[in-house]
C-alpha cells in the first residue's frame, strides 16, 4: 500500500515583506488527523506561515499544497500562475481558520454568524444551515446562546462561536492562529477544551500557540520556528522536554515553568 498523502505539505516556502525575509525555505508535512502545534518567538514567521497555507499571504517561492492540491496557483512548465480569486475562494472552503481576534459579525446572533458561510458561500438552504449551526453551537458548549449577539458574549464564548463558524463549512483542515492570546486567562481553558475535542474527533489541525500544556498534551508534533525556518520538529516529549537544538532550549527556558 502506498503511504498516505499529507494534508498539508510545504516545500521550500519563502515569504518576503519588503526587504524582510519572513519565511526562508520552510519544509513541513502534516498528515491527515495530525495535530501540529507551531511554537516560536514573536516575529519568527509562525502566523505568516499559517496564512500561507490558505493563501491569505502569497508564497513568494516554494510550493504549498493541501490534500495534494497546489494552493493559490497553477503550475505550468515549472512556473506558478496565480489563480483567480474565485478559484482561491473555492479552495479555502475546505480550510477553516480561527484568528486571534474573533471577527464575528456584530449585527448577527451567534446562530447567524455560524449560518452565514454555508448559506452565502455554499448556497445551503437556511433551515439546514440553521440546524447545523445549532448542533455546532451545542458542540462548543453554547446551546443556550444561539440567539445572543457577540457583544453580549465573553471573549471565550465569542472564540467558541468563531470555531463553530469555521466548522460549519465542513473543513478538512483547521488552522488556529494563537486562538487564546486575546483572552483573559480564566477563559483560555474553555477554548482549549473545544480544540481538544476536535483533536479527539480526528480533525487535522495546525495550531500556532503559546499554550505549551496544550502542545504537550494534544499535539502529535511540535514545530519550532525561528528566523523564518523550522529549527526543530518532532513529538512533544522530544521538542518540549528534550530539545535537540540550543535555540529551542533557550526559547523554552524563557517561557516555560518546568513541565
Amino acid at each position: 500500500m502506498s503511504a498516505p498523502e499529507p494534508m498539508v505539505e510545504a516545500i521550500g516556502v519563502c515569504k518576503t515583506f519588503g526587504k524582510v525575509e519572513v519565511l526562508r525555505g520552510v519544509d513541513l508535512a502534516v498528515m491527515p488527523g495530525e495535530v501540529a502545534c507551531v511554537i516560536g518567538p514573536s516575529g519568527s514567521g509562525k502566523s505568516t506561515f499559517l496564512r500561507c497555507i490558505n493563501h491569505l499571504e502569497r508564497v513568494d517561492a516554494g510550493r504549498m499544497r493541501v490534500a495534494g492540491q497546489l494552493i493559490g496557483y497553477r503550475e505550468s512548465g515549472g512556473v506558478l500562475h496565480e489563480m483567480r480569486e474565485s478559484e482561491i475562494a473555492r479552495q479555502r472552503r475546505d480550510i477553516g481558520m480561527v484568528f486571534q481576534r474573533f471577527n464575528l459579525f456584530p449585527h448577527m446572533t451567534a446562530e447567524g454568524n455560524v449560518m452565514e458561510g454555508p448559506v452565502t458561500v455554499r448556497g445551503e438552504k437556511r433551515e439546514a444551515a440553521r440546524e447545523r449551526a445549532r448542533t455546532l453551537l451545542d458542540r462548543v458548549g453554547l446551546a443556550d446562546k444561539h440567539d445572543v449577539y457577540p457583544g453580549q458574549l465573553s471573549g471565550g464564548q465569542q472564540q467558541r462561536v468563531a470555531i463553530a463558524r469555521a466548522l460549519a463549512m465542513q473543513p478538512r483542515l483547521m488552522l488556529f492562529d494563537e486562538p487564546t492570546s486575546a483572552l483573559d486567562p480564566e477563559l483560555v481553558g474553555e477554548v482549549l477544551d473545544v480544540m481538544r475535542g476536535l483533536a479527539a474527533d480526528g480533525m487535522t489541525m495546525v495550531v500556532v500557540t503559546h499554550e505549551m500544556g496544550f502542545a504537550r498534551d494534544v499535539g502529535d508534533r511540535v514545530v519550532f520556528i525561528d528566523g523564518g525556518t523550522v529549527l526543530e520538529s518532532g513529538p512533544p516529549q522530544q521538542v518540549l522536554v528534550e530539545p535537540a537544538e540550543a535555540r529551542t532550549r533557550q526559547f523554552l527556558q524563557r517561557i516555560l515553568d518546568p513541565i
Side-chain angles (χ1 to χ4, degrees), residues 108-121 124-134 164-165 168-169:
M108 293 183 179
T109 63
E111 181 181 284
N113 269 277
V114 178
M115 289 173 57
E116 182 68 9
V119 171
T120 60
V121 177
E124 291 187 12
K125 302 272 187 196
R126 293 192 65 83
E127 283 309 310
R130 180 175 287 108
E131 183 176 346
R132 185 183 308 118
R134 293 190 176 192
R165 180 178 60 181
M169 295 295 287

Side-chain angles (χ1 to χ4, degrees), residues 32-49:
E34 186 175 17
V35 178
C37 293
V38 182
I39 66 171
S42 297
S44 61
K46 307 183 303 295
S47 292
T48 297
F49 174 73

Side-chain angles (χ1 to χ4, degrees), residues 39-42 44 210 212 224-227 231-232 238-257:
I39 66 171
S42 297
S44 61
H210 290 296
M212 296 300 145
F224 177 62
I225 292 181
D226 191 26
L231 292 188
E232 190 160 357
Q238 172 193 315
V239 177
L240 297 179
V241 181
E242 299 176 344
E245 298 293 328
R247 181 67 186 96
T248 312
R249 291 195 295 273
Q250 181 187 49
F251 169 76
L252 292 172
Q253 286 168 359
R254 288 180 176 177
I255 67 169
L256 280 180
D257 292 324

Side-chain angles (χ1 to χ4, degrees), residues 80 137 206:
L80 295 182
L137 288 170
V206 182

Side-chain angles (χ1 to χ4, degrees), residues 82-192:
E82 191 167 19
M83 293 177 173
R84 294 190 298 271
E85 187 58 38
S86 60
E87 296 174 301
I88 297 169
R90 280 195 293 273
Q91 290 185 322
R92 289 191 184 123
R93 292 179 186 180
D94 291 331
I95 307 171
M97 187 161 186
V98 178
F99 300 87
Q100 296 179 34
R101 297 290 174 177
F102 325 120
N103 298 330
L104 299 177
F105 297 114
H107 63 288
M108 293 183 179
T109 63
E111 181 181 284
N113 269 277
V114 178
M115 289 173 57
E116 182 68 9
V119 171
T120 60
V121 177
R122 289 191 177 273
E124 291 187 12
K125 302 272 187 196
R126 293 192 65 83
E127 283 309 310
R130 180 175 287 108
E131 183 176 346
R132 185 183 308 118
R134 293 190 176 192
T135 298
L136 288 170
L137 288 170
D138 183 39
R139 181 177 181 180
V140 300
L142 296 173
D144 59 339
K145 303 293 185 182
H146 65 90
D147 58 351
V148 176
Y149 289 88
Q152 301 169 292
L153 298 172
S154 71
Q157 290 170 332
Q158 290 186 60
Q159 192 63 296
R160 285 186 279 158
V161 173
I163 293 171
R165 180 178 60 181
L167 292 173
M169 295 295 287
Q170 303 178 71
R172 303 175 67 182
L173 167 68
M174 285 286 287
L175 309 177
F176 292 87
D177 188 5
E178 299 190 28
T180 61
S181 65
L183 301 179
D184 292 334
E186 65 268 22
L187 303 177
V188 168
E190 63 191 53
V191 173
L192 294 181

